[in-house]
Amino acid sequence: MKRILLKLLPALLVISFIATACAPAAPAVAPTEAAAPAEAAATEVPEVEEEPTATLVPTEAAPVDIELWAGGRVTEAGPPPDDWAAYDIIANELNINLKLVLLPSTQADQDTKINAAGASNSLPDLFMVNRDTWYKLVQAGLIAKVDDLLPLMPVRTETHYSDVDRNKLVTIDGAMYGLPDPGAMPSTDGLVIRQDWLDKLGLESPTTLDEFMEVAQAF
């Protein structure tokens, strides 16, 4: 698993040197018989070199591309649209070009997709995976250690990754090779009913199985 990345501001070092020009020499005094010859007086301004100064010139770092494979919360879930507002927020706030790919809805299909990516060394930067497939990828040297990430996100570590027993599920030889989020509910699928259909038929939303059968037959 790769790391989340931060903004960078490269600096350009600009060094300037300023030197003064030499002043012309003073004219010499002509020698005479009565007086000792006078040496030519010459005054020269020494060259002055200023200390180099460093100036930071901020520049925009190139966006970081991150691909995330995630499981849909419901089986009918589709990928977000290209104009998803979250993409713009992540790009503007974190300078990250996020690509979100939803994994297949069944566990077997998820494993097939991830195993194929691992075999071709084309795994994404971040991805969800079950423990059996995860273990094989760790043994193949395709999963990064994540211990150093925990201090960088203390709040989430406290709420998600502080369970010692759960962390053991992703720990091999004393190092963590994954972030074990708490499991979801056993089932996330559910039934929804069209309120406008109920209104057209003058029906109430069912609360029992018998009422549901009556509504289904009416629909």
Side-chain angles (χ1 to χ4, degrees), residues 22-137:
C22 295
V29 178
T32 61
E33 293 181 358
E39 295 185 359
T43 304
E44 182 176 332
V45 179
E47 182 176 316
V48 178
E49 182 177 287
E50 290 190 354
E51 291 292 331
T53 58
T55 303
L56 295 180
V57 181
T59 58
E60 276 299 325
V64 177
D65 295 329
I66 292 182
E67 184 172 352
L68 166 64
W69 289 5
R73 287 300 181 185
V74 293
T75 55
E76 299 84 2
D82 293 338
D83 60 351
W84 189 29
Y87 284 145
D88 293 334
I89 295 173
I90 294 171
N92 294 333
E93 297 294 332
L94 302 177
N95 202 29
I96 291 175
N97 290 329
L98 176 65
K99 179 181 180 182
L100 177 60
V101 176
L102 291 188
L103 290 166
S105 58
T106 64
Q107 190 65 64
D109 290 339
Q110 288 184 18
D111 293 344
T112 299
K113 181 178 179 66
I114 292 175
N115 285 328
S120 61
N121 197 24
S122 58
L123 287 167
D125 303 288
L126 306 168
F127 60 97
M128 297 173 59
V129 62
N130 74 60
R131 192 175 186 281
D132 291 338
T133 301
W134 163 87
Y135 183 79
K136 296 176 183 177
L137 296 175

Side-chain angles (χ1 to χ4, degrees), residues 129-211:
V129 62
N130 74 60
R131 192 175 186 281
D132 291 338
T133 301
W134 163 87
Y135 183 79
K136 296 176 183 177
L137 296 175
V138 173
Q139 294 300 308
L142 297 175
I143 303 295
K145 299 178 182 179
V146 299
D147 303 81
D148 293 342
L149 295 178
L150 301 182
L152 302 178
M153 47 182 181
V155 175
R156 186 169 182 83
T157 296
E158 177 63 27
T159 57
H160 288 69
Y161 313 126
S162 60
D163 189 308
V164 176
D165 292 331
R166 188 166 61 237
N167 287 352
K168 290 179 181 179
L169 296 174
V170 293
T171 299
I172 296 179
D173 295 332
M176 289 179 62
Y177 289 86
L179 300 174
D181 268 26
M185 295 177 61
S187 176
T188 55
D189 291 344
L191 294 173
V192 295
I193 294 180
R194 290 278 297 267
Q195 183 63 48
D196 58 337
W197 287 12
L198 290 172
D199 294 340
K200 288 180 179 179
L201 296 176
L203 299 174
E204 297 292 333
S205 180
T207 58
T208 66
L209 288 178
D210 290 337
E211 292 176 358

